[in-house]
Amino acid sequence: MNSELKEALEILGKERNIPQDALLKAIESSLLTACKNHFGKSDNCRVTIDRNTFEYGIIQTKRVVENVEDPVEEISLPDARMINTRAEIGDTVDISIDSQKFGRIATQNAKGVIVQKIREEERNSLYRDFYEHEHGIMTGVVRRFMGKNISVNLGKADAILTENEQIKTETLKLNQRVKVFVLDVKNNPRGPHISVSRTHPDMVRCLFTEEVSEIREGVVEIMAIAREAGSRTKMAVLSHDENVDPVGACVGVNGTRVNSIVEELNGEKIDIINWDDNPAFLIENALSPSKVICVVADEDARQAIVIVPDFQLSLAIGKEGQNARLAAKLTGYKIDIKSETQAQESGLLEELGMAAFDENGSAVYEQGEYEGTAFGESYPENDDYDADTADFSEGGAEGESSDASNAESAGDDLLNEAEAAEAEEK
């Protein structure tokens, strides 16, 4: 019988993913319940199970008295001396209980306790499995649509992808395999409640961690991520090995690594930049792909002024202010972007002591003694740019200066000026 019990518990444990010790505790609890149903109380009962041999027994402790008033807890001296010849009044003796003599009701109740404990352990085991994946990536299958929410099957449980956590430009289909970021796992009586997301910035972090071995090994570290799901992500990376290029490691040979992630995110653009402890240089990198003349950053106020060539203003701000907005999120600075002409006309260059003019009237920039100041390269006014990236024709320049918090609401006067200046140059 013990070998059969052992085999049954091993099979049940593997099928339901329940620890064997939890099953043994369920049996102990059920036997105590049976004792309570059979005797009316179980305070003086205990169950012993040998974890190696699976031998089990029920022990009932009784007090030796002269006159028995409660036969469940008391035993007469003659009966006690049949168990222990040295027993005296006031002593206690242990009596072995035969569980096979329990009635039908007690047995059914014991069975119910075992089933309930097994189900409870199943839920706890399932919760532990998914809790290990919290704030990580899992692959699921779209099973059904519940209004604007989506149920995603993750294997042993379903997760809820709410409308707010879905990428607006993405349309998922029934039975489509999709990767999701596990936001939260809660243990409920009906099983784990799992919330997932496709828009969380850490989803990009996890995808790069899966794809890039240097990140998994800790050679390259993702320092910051700013994301507008479905459109564009900016990510700053740092290498802890001078022989490893962090950006190159994330991009991969011929862009294989980053392209696989872009494909998973349905074409979402990803800008990977170098992290820099100097906030001015970090802001310059964050405004990539635009070119920057100089950056003056105030670390205390968490504000920065950025001066860019006139023809780069549209690119620095980005379409609907997106480039400046993401740069601000990435760096944690409030960024004010000004064109070279605006800075010159407002006297900003002269005020900062950074500008002089050569004999031809062209601006020559000299680095002043300012902390948190970064200077870009010198760019002539007729320098070429990528028209597809600059996006002049689609309203890329949305205002004369860009505060990242209100870049979307800027007017389009500068756009007209930029187009007119460009036409005049041509």
Side-chain angles (χ1 to χ4, degrees):
M1 183 65 185
N2 295 329
S3 61
E4 292 177 0
L5 176 62
K6 182 178 180 180
E7 184 179 355
L9 292 179
E10 287 177 350
I11 294 174
L12 184 60
K14 290 179 181 179
E15 287 181 352
R16 305 292 182 89
N17 193 24
I18 301 174
Q20 193 175 84
D21 191 59
L23 293 173
L24 292 175
K25 287 182 179 179
I27 293 175
E28 289 179 1
S29 179
S30 67
L31 290 173
L32 287 175
T33 301
C35 286
K36 187 173 183 180
N37 282 277
H38 184 72
F39 296 110
K41 61 177 71 174
S42 61
D43 296 340
N44 62 332
C45 297
R46 70 180 187 274
V47 178
T48 61
I49 299 179
D50 190 307
R51 262 53 176 176
N52 297 319
T53 63
F54 282 75
E55 292 282 349
Y56 70 92
I58 304 174
I59 305 299
Q60 190 175 44
T61 303
K62 292 186 178 183
R63 187 174 67 258
V64 181
V65 295
E66 187 173 351
N67 298 314
V68 177
E69 295 180 0
D70 185 353
V72 175
E73 293 187 349
E74 298 173 345
I75 188 172
S76 65
L77 182 59
D79 291 341
R81 285 186 172 174
M82 293 179 64
I83 301 171
N84 183 359
T85 56
R86 297 182 179 180
E88 297 292 342
I89 300 296
D91 292 344
T92 58
V93 294
D94 291 336
I95 301 173
S96 180
I97 303 298
D98 186 1
S99 61
Q100 294 183 355
K101 294 182 179 180
F102 288 162
R104 181 176 59 84
I105 296 177
T107 304
Q108 288 180 344
N109 289 338
K111 177 183 176 181
V113 170
I114 293 178
V115 172
Q116 182 181 355
K117 287 289 184 182
I118 289 175
R119 289 175 179 173
E120 183 179 329
E121 283 299 323
E122 270 190 297
R123 289 194 299 268
N124 291 335
S125 175
L126 201 58
Y127 167 74
R128 289 192 296 268
D129 289 344
F130 283 100
Y131 185 77
E132 291 177 358
H133 291 89
E134 192 175 38
H135 302 155
I137 291 286
M138 294 191 73
T139 301
V141 179
V142 177
R143 284 306 184 200
R144 62 183 184 274
F145 296 91
M146 305 177 297
K148 294 184 178 180
N149 297 335
I150 299 175
S151 175
V152 180
N153 181 264
L154 299 178
K156 295 181 180 179
D158 289 343
I160 303 299
L161 181 63
T162 63
E163 180 186 9
N164 293 335
E165 300 298 337
Q166 299 172 29
I167 299 176
K168 304 303 180 184
T169 58
E170 180 180 68
T171 302
L172 299 178
K173 299 179 181 179
L174 200 63
N175 296 325
Q176 178 182 344
R177 294 184 66 83
V178 62
K179 288 187 176 182
V180 292
F181 178 77
V182 182
L183 284 175
D184 184 48
V185 181
K186 294 181 180 178
N187 197 7
N188 288 340
R190 294 186 177 181
H193 181 273
I194 308 167
S195 300
V196 295
S197 172
R198 291 271 295 168
T199 63
H200 200 282
D202 280 345
M203 179 173 182
V204 177
R205 184 190 301 272
C206 292
L207 288 173
F208 271 99
T209 302
E210 284 185 353
E211 189 69 28
V212 182
S213 59
E214 289 83 354
I215 295 178
R216 291 196 303 274
E217 295 167 0
V219 177
V220 175
E221 182 179 357
I222 300 174
M223 303 299 292
I225 294 179
R227 185 184 183 199
E228 292 188 0
S231 180
R232 183 179 291 274
T233 292
K234 283 184 180 288
M235 183 174 75
V237 292
L238 174 68
S239 175
H240 296 291
D241 186 341
E242 59 182 12
N243 297 319
V244 177
D245 174 22
V247 176
C250 294
V251 172
V253 180
N254 296 325
T256 52
R257 289 176 170 178
V258 71
N259 285 341
S260 66
I261 296 173
V262 169
E263 183 178 353
E264 173 62 36
L265 299 176
N266 288 322
E268 182 176 319
K269 297 177 182 178
I270 300 177
D271 297 337
I272 306 173
I273 68 166
N274 284 304
W275 173 267
D276 200 300
D277 291 331
N278 186 317
F281 287 112
L282 177 61
I283 292 170
E284 180 182 354
N285 295 341
L287 287 171
S288 173
S290 70
K291 300 172 182 178
V292 173
I293 292 176
C294 74
V295 180
V296 180
D298 185 340
E299 292 191 53
D300 294 331
R302 306 293 292 180
Q303 296 180 350
I305 297 176
V306 180
I307 301 175
V308 299
D310 291 349
F311 66 92
Q312 289 283 301
L313 182 60
S314 169
L315 185 57
I317 296 173
K319 187 177 181 180
E320 297 180 349
Q322 185 185 66
N323 195 55
R325 189 167 56 251
L326 286 175
K329 289 180 181 178
L330 187 73
T331 61
Y333 275 70
K334 184 178 180 181
I335 301 175
D336 184 16
I337 303 176
K338 295 184 179 296
S339 69
E340 182 181 0
T341 300
Q342 293 166 0
Q344 185 175 330
E345 290 178 351
S346 64
L348 179 60
L349 294 179
E350 186 176 353
E351 178 184 342
L352 296 175
M354 296 190 300
F357 296 91
D358 60 20
E359 57 185 6
N360 297 321
S362 298
V364 178
Y365 300 100
E366 301 173 349
Q367 182 166 347
E369 297 180 358
Y370 297 94
E371 282 191 27
T373 304
F375 287 82
E377 302 173 19
S378 178
Y379 303 108
E381 293 182 2
N382 60 350
D383 193 4
D384 293 332
Y385 64 92
D386 186 346
D388 294 333
T389 307
D391 206 13
F392 272 33
S393 62
E394 295 184 19
E398 294 289 333
E400 294 186 356
S401 64
S402 171
D403 180 0
S405 62
N406 62 4
E408 289 188 37
S409 63
D412 58 357
D413 293 340
L414 183 61
L415 173 62
N416 299 329
E417 294 178 8
E419 291 177 342
E422 183 185 3
E424 185 177 351
E425 287 178 5
K426 292 181 178 179

